[in-house]
Amino acid sequence: MAALFGRRMRRGAASTAVAAAAMAALSASGAPSAVGEQPAASAAERPSAGASGQEDPSVTGDSPYHTDLPPLKGPRRNDPPDETPATGSAESGIPATVLDAYRKAEASLAASNPRCRVPWELLAAIGKVESGHARGGRLDTNGTTPSPILGPVLNGVGFANISDTDGGAYDGDTLHDRAVGPMQFIPQTWESWGRDGNGDGRRDPNNIYDAALAAGSYLCAHDRDLTVERDLHQAILGYNRSQEYLRTVLHWYDYYRKGAHEVPDGSQPAPGAPTGTGGKTPSPAPVRPGTPSPSPTKPGKPTKPTKPAKPGDGSSSKPTPPPTTPPPTTPPPTTPPPTTPAPATRLVDLGDGALSAPAGERFAERPAVRAERADKKPAAQAKVRFTLTGETGTTFEGGATTVTVTTKADGVAKAPALLAGGKPGALTVKATLLGTTEPVTLGLRGEVTAPRADKLVRTDETELTCEAGATFEGRVALTATRDGQAAPGVAATATVLAGADPADGEKAADQGPYFLTPGDEPAEDRRTRELTLTTDAKGNLLLPELHTDDTTGTFRLRVETTGGAVVVLELKVTDPA
């Protein structure tokens, strides 16, 4: 998870002293025994970034990171009087939009995954180490970086070797992957863990709201509880498998837990280039062949000057030739700049014609198209706008009726889930390819069907026994629900069936109990043993009165709703008293 900014932490005695002081301060704090030495997580312990099977790279591909440590203050430090403003030190300032993204990610995860208990201060620590809080809060009004924050090319030279997995859609490199965005996700990890943190219908690794929520979700993987030290350490090591990275993140985590404050976006200087080694030990600088190693000279003792040779005394033999310069070595191969792919020219519908859902429910299928170039190959990074038309009240998830989606490496653009409105009818999802000289549009047809219920229960206790030629006392009342909630506007069919046994058939009886339909005709002409009704706003269903002819015996009343909810009641008709 590397960003383009940061500065190298000094090594040697100075860094040892700083690390020791940091450890001492951290041990005295309330952090969860933060920086205790611990072996690197084994393959079985590390969180997988994608599907099961083989272990995927870490979130960042073990890219470099910022190794700066927070300032240490303690009784032994000989600091001048603190002259920082009451709001906090400069180091504890976090850009306003970035801080808002961290806190909203914490709140979202507290609702969706309360066991994890991810604190925003941990997200802030990782964001600080990965990108210096999105280059000091240089973001647009939506929380997106004006230009991508890219880690180094992961071509195996000093870092992991990860061939391109996204067609350059996220990192602009079609040969190798690179970590992307404020939280530095490599493309293949983003495909599995990317989230829409700002509700715009997109998962953009360059957006701080999306990236912060994705980072928190990744840290919470494997049912972790981040208040448990082992889970906390494994989560951070899954981000970058380096013990130095673990210690650095934990220092900042502890620092922000003691206090942090908001500063204006872009008010902090952008950090320098990151120098964390990504879990690899840097090699010493090579010594050029033919160059003698310098011998150390004892301090304070001047070297004895060489006595010049007298001319003609034979003390000088052949002159010593100057050291030869070895031939230049072949420089390591460099990655050629990525090529700009050809633009998209057409759209292909990927649906199976199943854009249908009952009123008030979520569509099972999402509108999807593939953008293709002139050679019919997938076009990555194409912009596709989806627009809903119709009178059904249907919207995309989140309430919008228009969304824009960027295609991935496979050229596919999927709209957010559709939520059917309350009015049945036809609708159209129009997909438009943007950025073309001539409009390229597909019309995807859909339908909102009648609402349904999955449960139907009787709510009255009237005894369903009546003498022949009379009227049953009371009326049958039922309630329809869907997913435990009242199901209004659901169609139901009530049918009088002959006999008490299902073997007697499911067709309407031709004698026995009956309903009367409204009208001015004689009652004999308005008799029916099958009618259709609709539940009211509370999902209630009240059947009309039941009458009987002269036929006695046991009958069944079957009531079924759209969606398959069924109630069968027994009707008994006895001889007159």
Side-chain angles (χ1 to χ4, degrees), residues 121-490:
E121 293 92 342
L122 178 59
L123 298 175
I126 291 176
K128 173 69 174 179
V129 170
E130 293 301 338
S131 67
H133 299 312
R135 297 171 175 163
R138 283 156 178 79
L139 304 163
D140 64 17
T141 55
N142 296 319
T144 303
T145 58
S147 59
I149 301 176
L150 298 175
V153 178
L154 299 177
N155 57 5
V157 180
F159 309 106
N161 187 0
I162 304 177
S163 298
D164 174 63
T165 61
D166 66 332
Y170 293 125
D171 54 18
D173 193 330
T174 57
L175 295 179
H176 294 89
D177 273 349
R178 303 174 71 171
V180 182
M183 304 302 277
Q184 289 288 277
F185 278 83
I186 56 175
Q188 60 177 301
T189 311
W190 182 258
E191 281 301 302
S192 299
W193 293 96
R195 297 290 186 269
D196 179 12
N198 60 355
D200 64 354
R202 297 183 58 203
R203 300 183 307 154
D204 185 358
N206 297 299
N207 181 276
I208 186 60
Y209 290 95
D210 295 359
L213 183 58
S217 300
Y218 185 92
L219 294 170
C220 289
H222 302 285
D223 201 28
R224 292 192 183 103
D225 178 354
L226 297 185
T227 62
V228 176
E229 180 182 284
R230 178 180 176 82
D231 285 1
L232 174 66
H233 288 196
Q234 286 184 356
I236 298 172
L237 286 170
Y239 221 83
N240 190 313
R241 300 186 187 98
S242 161
Q243 288 292 323
E244 181 180 331
Y245 180 85
L246 171 65
R247 288 190 292 270
T248 304
V249 168
L250 288 174
H251 282 309
W252 280 108
Y253 173 39
D254 182 68
Y255 183 70
Y256 287 137
R257 277 160 43 98
K258 294 175 181 176
H261 64 283
E262 176 185 304
V263 297
D265 290 346
S267 63
Q268 295 175 320
T275 58
T277 58
K280 301 179 183 295
T281 302
S283 303
V287 178
R288 188 166 60 181
T291 302
S293 300
S295 301
T297 304
K298 294 182 180 180
K301 187 176 182 180
T303 56
K304 187 176 182 180
T306 305
K307 185 178 180 180
K310 294 179 181 180
D313 64 358
S315 62
S316 176
S317 58
K318 295 182 179 180
T320 303
T324 59
T325 302
T329 58
T330 303
T334 58
T335 303
T339 57
T340 302
T345 59
R346 62 193 296 258
L347 292 175
V348 177
D349 182 10
L350 299 182
D352 57 4
L355 284 179
S356 177
E361 298 189 41
R362 180 191 298 265
F363 282 67
E365 193 78 15
R366 290 166 56 187
V369 297
R370 182 174 62 247
E372 294 183 347
R373 307 193 301 247
D375 57 5
K376 296 187 177 181
K377 291 185 177 180
Q381 294 182 289
K383 303 287 186 182
V384 179
R385 183 173 61 213
F386 292 94
T387 305
L388 279 167
T389 60
E391 303 298 326
T392 64
T394 300
T395 66
F396 292 110
E397 192 169 33
T401 56
T402 299
V403 295
T404 300
V405 178
T406 302
T407 61
K408 302 176 184 176
D410 56 4
V412 173
K414 271 192 175 184
L418 290 170
L419 300 179
K423 184 177 180 182
L427 61 90
T428 301
V429 183
K430 186 167 65 173
T432 303
L433 180 62
L434 304 180
T436 57
T437 54
E438 296 184 4
V440 178
T441 301
L442 278 181
L444 314 179
R445 302 293 179 182
E447 181 185 16
V448 175
T449 60
R452 66 178 182 87
D454 54 27
K455 190 174 183 180
L456 185 66
V457 295
R458 186 182 177 192
T459 56
D460 73 292
E461 298 180 356
T462 305
E463 184 179 359
L464 298 179
T465 300
C466 182
E467 294 179 357
T471 300
F472 283 82
E473 290 187 7
R475 296 165 65 181
V476 175
L478 306 105
T479 296
T481 58
R482 181 182 65 248
D483 299 328
Q485 303 295 320
V490 176

